[in-house]
Amino acid sequence: MSLRLYALQRMTAALMIPLIAGHLMVIFYATHNGLAAAEILSRTRGSLFWAAFYGAFVGAAAIHAAIGLRSVASDWTRLKPGALNGLMWGAGAILLALGTGAVIAVVMP
Amino acid sequence: MKHPAPVRPSATGHRRNTLWLAAVVHRLSGLALALFLPLHFLFLGAALNGEAALQNAILWTENPLAKIAEAALVFLLGLHFLGGLRVLVIETLAWRDNQKQMAAAAATVAAVAAFIFFIRAL
Amino acid sequence: MTSETISKTLNVSIWRGAATGGYKSYSVPRRDAQSVLDVVTWVQRHAAPDLAYRFACRVDVCGSCAMTVNGRPRWTCRSHVAKVIEDGRLQIGPLANLPIVKDLVTDMSVFFDKWHKARGSFSGRAGRHDPMAAILPDSPQRAAVDEAIECINCGICYAACDSVRWNGDYLGPAALNRAWTLINDQRDCSNKARLQAIAALGGCQNCHSHQTCEELCPKGLNPTKSIAGLKRLSLAAYLKGDLA
């Protein structure tokens, strides 16, 4: 893999340190009495903070996962560079699109 | 005529190395999380159709199998997160020698977190 | 001769052929303090005169006798049969990740080509009339060099490395370890080009820190640690815009 992809992977990883820590805390908090849609949405709807938090998380995760998938495919399959890049961009696009949809779904007022 | 696969010398005995296992676990947990993410996003996207739609989706996970799967995901996330933290430390800070202990600690903490999640969910 | 050395035989299987071939079984007399190299030598002298293998010093110094023993790359002259035998089984093959010339002999050209690609050779600019470089032995840079300098290119780390196995472009632990010793050598003047070389497509960023190299290096070196140092340097240079 190129140094550029490596750098992006590590930087998105570093960015996600506080985001994952925060997400794990959210998971444990939100499930303390069982999950409830009303509870979740009352926290996230109209919230700029959660929009920024999960927006950043989706962006970083999409990049990080796409590059990671490319690495794994490069090591463990016989795909050529063109196909590997296609896989990376495709996976990234899907994760970004679905992730953005999910963030919008929970933060729209 | 069927040609048998060429026989090659075997050379994978070195894989009993703990840190090799840590790297493979990191890779496989990342793969699992990457495959899970689209489902997670689609699930949350139910909220686009209103609160009731999201609540229905949540009810669909109120069963033991789903709780086991969720605990497994917490475990995978914890593993990948803490293992990745160890990699970032190796690659950006001065070298430290206790890599095997760090890898074992990462796995232990992730397992404990997942276990706590699971018993709370029951 | 003690009584332990008589009438015990060892069943050993040795790779015969090249890229394709098979393990062939031989019955070898078992002796005290027998090394795997002793076993291979006995087979070539008494059972299979056409068996191809490499060795030189026979005493743990040169690294020429490296082979895969029960799945792990080792120096066969220092591998006592008693210590490496598993359930009475001894399997000997050529080093992995290298083209096989014949039987236990591999073609190491690609290993040395990658050494060059990583700029693993010294280039200084001082001449005979310049003053000698004053290098303090306990400076952090020299300490880093000293830790990694003893590599004798035996190829074991390269054969053991899964990143090498999975990625044909990857320069590998030995080449990158040597590059690290030169990057820390104050007398070397080609570090700009060297940094480019170790951060190029097959460079240090492909290492997944398995540390198999460290586990198996007969000289006790740690290429993963050297490569981690290269990663720090190349990432810093990249973020500063000094690298392409």
Side-chain angles (χ1 to χ4, degrees):
Chain A
M1 80 150 114
S2 75
L3 191 62
R4 167 179 291 126
L5 287 180
Y6 168 87
L8 258 177
Q9 248 257 354
R10 272 36 177 193
M11 292 194 291
T12 50
L15 175 63
M16 285 195 283
I17 294 173
L19 299 177
I20 294 178
H23 190 52
L24 281 166
M25 289 193 272
V26 165
I27 290 174
F28 275 81
Y29 177 77
T31 55
H32 77 295
N33 258 343
L35 273 179
E39 247 188 75
I40 297 173
L41 293 172
S42 69
R43 284 192 296 264
T44 58
R45 271 192 172 143
S47 164
L48 266 170
F49 173 77
W50 290 120
F53 184 92
Y54 282 111
F57 201 2
V58 161
I63 295 172
H64 186 83
I67 299 176
L69 286 170
R70 187 192 188 286
S71 271
V72 177
S74 169
D75 278 351
W76 287 354
T77 71
R78 290 187 211 271
L79 290 174
K80 301 218 167 59
L84 290 172
N85 287 335
L87 170 68
M88 179 179 74
W89 285 105
I94 291 174
L95 288 168
L96 194 60
L98 291 178
T100 307
V103 173
I104 290 175
V106 300
V107 304
M108 66 181 186
Chain B
M1 182 169 68
K2 200 166 175 215
H3 295 278
V7 178
R8 294 204 172 85
S10 126
T12 55
H14 61 272
R15 289 177 179 169
R16 300 166 222 151
N17 176 9
T18 308
L19 295 175
W20 180 88
L21 191 63
V24 165
V25 160
H26 187 72
R27 179 166 270 202
L28 294 178
S29 62
L31 259 178
L33 290 167
L35 292 172
F36 160 72
L37 263 188
L39 301 170
H40 187 48
F41 291 155
L42 283 168
F43 190 94
L44 289 164
L48 283 169
N49 293 326
E51 185 184 301
L54 183 59
Q55 185 62 23
N56 273 338
I58 289 173
L59 285 173
W60 186 79
T61 69
E62 295 295 319
N63 63 78
L65 207 57
K67 292 305 155 204
I68 293 174
E70 287 172 6
L73 282 163
V74 169
F75 179 51
L76 290 172
L77 181 60
L79 264 182
H80 195 77
F81 173 48
L82 294 171
L85 210 54
R86 183 180 70 86
V87 171
L88 282 176
V89 164
I90 289 176
E91 296 181 347
T92 55
L93 301 178
W95 180 267
R96 50 214 65 207
D97 270 327
N98 52 347
Q99 290 304 322
K100 287 189 183 172
Q101 290 91 314
M102 285 173 71
T108 309
V109 171
V112 166
F115 180 69
I116 294 175
F117 174 89
F118 184 63
I119 51 177
R120 280 165 94 248
L122 283 178
Chain C
M1 290 285 183
T2 63
S3 56
E4 288 100 332
T5 60
I6 54 167
S7 71
K8 263 214 234 158
T9 55
L10 182 65
N11 274 330
V12 58
S13 65
I14 297 182
W15 180 263
R16 303 302 312 271
T20 58
Y23 285 98
K24 207 160 168 226
S25 280
Y26 301 91
S27 229
V28 176
R30 186 120 183 223
R31 304 219 191 287
D32 276 351
Q34 189 178 38
S35 71
V36 175
L37 183 61
D38 290 336
V39 168
V40 172
T41 303
W42 189 94
V43 169
Q44 193 272 327
R45 286 183 185 171
H46 302 284
D50 60 340
L51 174 66
Y53 69 105
R54 276 201 187 103
F55 75 99
C57 73
R58 298 170 293 116
V59 292
D60 234 24
V61 175
C62 72
S64 308
C65 66
M67 299 173 205
T68 307
V69 179
N70 284 349
R72 290 160 83 95
R74 298 173 170 280
W75 289 355
T76 48
C77 68
R78 73 149 61 161
S79 301
H80 282 214
V81 168
K83 296 236 170 76
V84 301
I85 199 162
E86 278 171 24
D87 303 320
R89 209 180 51 92
L90 188 63
Q91 189 189 69
I92 307 171
L95 281 183
N97 297 341
L98 292 163
I100 304 172
V101 175
K102 181 176 182 239
D103 304 334
L104 301 169
V105 175
T106 56
D107 179 357
M108 290 188 72
S109 330
V110 65
F111 175 81
F112 291 110
D113 286 343
K114 287 180 175 177
W115 192 274
H116 281 290
K117 262 184 107 174
R119 291 216 161 230
S121 41
F122 178 81
S123 46
R125 67 165 71 86
R128 67 178 67 200
H129 301 296
D130 292 310
M132 286 215 319
I135 297 178
L136 293 172
D138 50 6
S139 68
Q141 277 192 312
R142 189 66 213 179
V145 174
D146 287 341
E147 254 187 335
I149 198 71
E150 301 287 341
C151 173
I152 56 172
N153 325 19
C154 69
I156 277 182
C157 60
Y158 189 83
C161 179
D162 271 314
S163 294
V164 169
R165 173 170 310 173
W166 296 334
N167 179 357
D169 290 328
Y170 179 43
L171 294 174
L176 291 171
N177 177 71
R178 179 49 57 94
W180 171 246
T181 66
L182 291 163
I183 269 183
N184 282 290
D185 193 326
Q186 298 156 233
R187 303 161 298 170
D188 191 286
C189 61
S190 61
N191 279 327
K192 201 158 189 286
R194 185 170 290 116
L195 210 55
Q196 299 272 13
I198 58 94
L201 221 47
C204 63
Q205 64 274 16
N206 293 286
C207 167
H208 293 300
S209 303
H210 298 164
Q211 280 203 143
T212 306
C213 51
E214 184 267 341
E215 172 143 322
L216 293 172
C217 175
K219 305 283 294 185
L221 305 180
N222 190 347
T224 304
K225 179 174 179 177
S226 304
I227 292 170
L230 291 176
K231 285 172 174 171
R232 286 196 293 277
L233 286 179
S234 53
L235 188 59
Y238 177 79
L239 293 174
K240 274 191 237 152
D242 290 338
L243 273 180

